[in-house]
Every structure is written in structure tokens, then in C-alpha cells.
Amino acid sequence: MNRRDFLWTTVLTGSTPLIARAAEEAPVPAPTVPEGPLPGLPTVTSITPDSVAIVWSVKGPCTGYVEYGNTPELGKTAYGSQDGLRTFDAAVIAIRLPDLKPGDRIYYRTVTAPIQFPNHYKITRGAAVASPIFDFGMPGPATEARIAIWNDIHQQAPTIEALGKATLAFGPDLIVLNGDLVQDQFNKEQDFTGALLSLDSGRDAWSRRPIAFVRGNHDARGSIARDLNRFAPRPHAYGYLGLLRVGPVGVLMLDTGDDKEGPGIYGDMGDFAAYRENQREWLEKAVADPRFASAPFRLLFCHIPLRWKEPESKGAWCSDGDARWSPLLAKARIHAVISGHTHQFWHSPPTGDRPYHQIVSGGPETTSTKWSPTPACLVKIEANANTLTLKVTEALSGTEHLQLELKA
Ligand SMILES: [Fe+2]
């Protein structure tokens, strides 16, 4: 489907906002179909228990805002202003919708207007373009939950396509992008817009499901890695970490950072041990949060695993994160840690002082290669109050590597 097949409209200055009430009802007044390049379809990401960020790509210098509400009539507007200034960017616009409630259904559309600075005294605003109205559900107090996990997509289009199809067939309440979206380093804007914001592939499915982004080591590497917040807004003041309740599942996300740091490594620009220690302080409070502690099932998503089958392979697992976090995870009786990073499937059952499953999913390519010893896999979690089933399944072939059933 072409993006122009959706109902994009031109917003006329001073007119009543155009609201498409239902597919079969004509909007009032009749919409003007915009000419020229359209903005990208929005992605619902950087989710927290009470907010999401709506992120979309733009084609040139633009400002934008999001109209949203609990019904298709919308009614609220979020501008994402910072320090008194509304958004302005030539590549991507990201706006957080605050004060949402767990279990809410949210309707929204993006509005994008080109901005020009023709001379020192003038700023001009072009005709604004409104996206169709999309809706999504905030994870909440449901009795059942489905979570889909992708990892290490590394901008590989066939993998994104295969994972997309498998994910839509599964129908999750939440999608977790478990790190390494960029191919190698984050050196140009397209590295990230091409990863997160091209999920649309002409479809609006990614505008209708919340996504939790967990940062991978490659996403933290490169000359514009410090701009990541523009593309994937930091969900928490402490960084790329978070806590969510998805029905019977308590979800934690932590940022394992880079797998190499110290003098002589990447210009000695990393300070990840201190960052992991800050996360440990946050984790101490998070595991006591009733939204997590009362959940029948408790999971952690982090890009680099906290143990690996070859412990001597230093870059393959995050020994520093393990040392700092695992005692708290054990005390919180976490069931499983789900990771990527090694591009090779591995399942390690609970051990004495690490009493949780460690699961490592597949790699970035749809078939087995040197870069991707295990083909790209979708991790599917289905839970009710009594049972959680976790499957690791190859996205393209459907080959199953693991089926694990946990009891509350
Ligand atoms: Fe990777």
C-alpha cells in the first residue's frame, strides 16, 4: 500500500480542524489532498506507564504537533515544546503525549508544517499536512498479554519485513526493539530514521502499536550517537531504561551500554560503568514498585546478555551489568532476562545465584550467515495470570528454537 492511499489532508489556516470521524464518513469540511512529499507515518515509541512519544520523519525543515484524545474527535494538542520553543527539525519530529492512563485507547494524528527562514527578519510557515487518525492501546491491567521482541535488526530490510509479518500475525500489545537498530555506527540521520522510522514499509501497523526501544551497543556508537534522543526520545531521566506493566507481566528495561570501553577503546569516550551504576540505583526502587513487584511474571529486557555460554568471550556478555544488577534481579525473583547481541540463540536455565532464565535471540539476517549464525528470530510472549509461554521462532522459516512455559 502506498502512503498516499491513506487519508492525508491539508490543514487550512484558520479553519476548523479536519476530523475524519470514520472511514465511511466524509470529513467536514472536505479535505484538500496535499501535494508534494508527505511526512513519514508515525511510530508510537519510548513508552512509559503514562506516556508515549509519537515520532515521524519529515522531508525538510518543519515544525509539527500531535492532536490526540480518547475518542476519534481528539480534542487535545501536544506541541513538545522545550524552553519555550515548539519543535523544529529537518529530519524527525518527536513529541511526547503526557498523562495517559494504563489501558487507555488513544486516537491521534500528526500535523506537520514546513518552515522557512527567507531572511533575518522573517520566518514563514507553509500549509500544514495532517496524517490520518490512528489509534493504539496503552498497556494496562488486562488479564492477558502478548509481547513481541525484535533484536539486532541492524537496518536489514528483509529482516524487518520478515519480523513485521510474523509480528502482525502474532498481534502483540507491545513490541520491544531490543537494541542494535543501526547497521554499524550512528553516523548519519538516515542510520536511525532508516531503522526505526522505515518500519512503515507503506503500512500503518507501526502507527497503531506501542514500541519500547532498548538501546544496543551499536546505537550508542558513532558521531551522532548523542543525538539519539531526537529519534528515540529517552523514556526516563536516568536514560534508556524503564518499567511497564503489561497485563500480568512486569517489564523492566535496562541499558547495557557498549561492550567495549576504557583507555584505548573508541577514543575513551564511553562512561558506561558509571551509567550502569546509576541504573542500579534506579533498579533498586523499580523492583519494589508495586506495578512490577505485584506482577505474576517479571521480565527484564536488555541488549547484551548478563551471562554467555563462553564466559571468556568478554564482549559477548555484560559482566559489569551482571555484577551490579543480578543480586537485585535475584531478590526481585525475576523469571527471565531476554537479550540479543551475540546474533546466536542461547538458552541458559536458572542457576543457584542467578535464578532466572537467560535467553539470547537470533541475529540480523533471515538465514544463517557468519554475521548471523542464528537467523533473525521473533520472541513471542503470551501470558495470563497463571502461565507465561515464551517462544523463540525464526522470522522467515518459522523454525522454533525454544518453547518455554513458566508458572506464576
Ligand atoms: Fe548486533
Side-chain angles (χ1 to χ4, degrees):
M1 184 183 278
N2 188 294
R3 281 188 299 117
R4 218 167 264 285
D5 294 339
F6 298 114
L7 183 65
W8 291 81
T9 51
T10 300
V11 179
L12 304 171
T13 310
S15 72
T16 309
L18 301 174
I19 307 288
R21 289 183 178 80
E24 65 276 12
E25 263 185 66
V28 180
T32 312
V33 179
E35 293 176 0
L38 293 170
L41 288 172
T43 302
V44 182
T45 187
S46 297
I47 186 167
T48 72
D50 60 2
S51 74
V52 296
I54 304 296
V55 185
W56 68 101
S57 61
V58 294
K59 317 281 191 296
C62 284
T63 188
Y65 55 90
V66 178
E67 295 174 335
Y68 70 106
N70 293 117
T71 68
E73 276 65 41
L74 311 179
K76 295 182 192 170
T77 306
Y79 291 100
S81 306
Q82 272 203 316
D83 310 324
L85 292 170
R86 289 184 177 161
T87 58
F88 178 68
D89 202 291
V92 66
I93 293 180
I95 293 180
R96 189 163 289 282
L97 309 186
D99 304 323
L100 309 181
K101 291 190 180 59
D104 265 4
R105 180 139 295 270
I106 306 295
Y107 296 79
Y108 75 98
R109 69 175 187 174
T110 66
V111 181
T112 311
I115 298 288
Q116 287 187 329
F117 292 82
N119 62 48
H120 290 311
Y121 302 101
K122 212 171 172 188
I123 300 175
T124 60
R125 185 183 184 105
V129 174
S131 74
I133 294 176
F134 303 107
D135 64 302
F136 65 91
M138 283 294 284
T143 52
E144 296 182 345
R146 286 181 177 208
I147 304 173
I149 301 106
W150 303 14
N151 61 279
D152 294 271
I153 57 177
H154 286 290
Q155 290 180 269
Q156 299 305 295
T159 298
I160 293 171
E161 185 65 28
L163 282 168
K165 275 189 188 144
T167 301
L168 291 184
F170 180 52
D173 306 295
L174 175 74
I175 300 168
V176 179
L177 299 183
N178 211 3
D180 278 8
L181 272 62
V182 306
Q183 183 164 17
D184 181 17
Q185 295 196 1
F186 189 16
N187 283 328
K188 54 187 191 304
E189 287 165 336
Q190 292 83 350
D191 290 337
F192 213 85
T193 53
L196 183 64
L197 300 174
S198 293
L199 292 179
D200 58 45
S201 304
R203 295 179 302 203
D204 65 346
W206 316 118
S207 305
R208 298 184 186 277
R209 286 177 202 280
I211 292 174
F213 166 66
V214 176
R215 193 171 73 161
N217 52 308
H218 286 267
D219 307 317
R221 214 179 270 172
S223 58
I224 60 167
R226 287 150 193 80
D227 285 353
L228 185 61
N229 193 50
R230 274 172 66 208
F231 301 83
R234 190 180 293 111
H236 200 286
Y238 279 79
Y240 285 92
L241 65 165
L243 178 155
L244 282 177
R245 178 69 179 260
V246 190
V249 187
V251 168
L252 292 174
M253 291 163 281
L254 289 171
D255 185 349
T256 40
D258 211 325
D259 59 354
K260 303 173 191 71
E261 66 181 296
I265 307 278
Y266 297 141
D268 200 13
M269 301 275 280
D271 199 7
F272 292 103
Y275 178 46
R276 289 185 206 104
E277 181 57 22
N278 287 344
Q279 293 182 73
R280 191 196 63 74
E281 286 170 22
W282 173 84
L283 181 62
E284 208 162 348
K285 297 183 200 93
V287 294
D289 187 308
R291 288 171 295 193
F292 180 77
S294 71
F297 297 99
R298 297 167 297 283
L299 304 176
L300 167 66
F301 299 106
C302 59
H303 178 69
I304 304 180
L306 301 185
R307 56 184 189 258
W308 181 239
K309 59 184 173 181
E310 294 148 0
E312 68 283 4
S313 184
K314 295 284 182 214
W317 62 294
C318 187
S319 56
D320 182 67
D322 171 58
R324 292 178 200 275
W325 305 335
S326 281
L328 282 171
L329 298 174
K331 210 168 130 196
R333 296 179 300 112
I334 199 154
H335 290 84
V337 175
I338 294 130
S339 308
H341 185 58
T342 65
H343 301 183
Q344 197 174 359
F345 167 74
W346 186 55
H347 170 223
S348 168
T351 65
D353 58 349
R354 299 290 184 266
Y356 54 81
H357 295 266
Q358 171 71 65
I359 292 137
V360 181
S361 185
E365 295 187 280
T366 52
T367 55
S368 182
T369 63
K370 192 162 179 263
W371 187 35
S372 181
T374 304
C377 288
L378 181 66
V379 181
K380 295 185 277 191
I381 290 170
E382 278 186 271
N384 58 36
N386 305 313
T387 308
L388 181 146
T389 308
L390 184 154
K391 292 179 188 171
V392 181
T393 308
E394 286 183 22
L396 188 64
S397 69
T399 303
E400 198 167 281
H401 290 269
L402 178 70
Q403 179 164 345
L404 190 64
E405 196 173 281
L406 304 175
K407 292 288 177 195

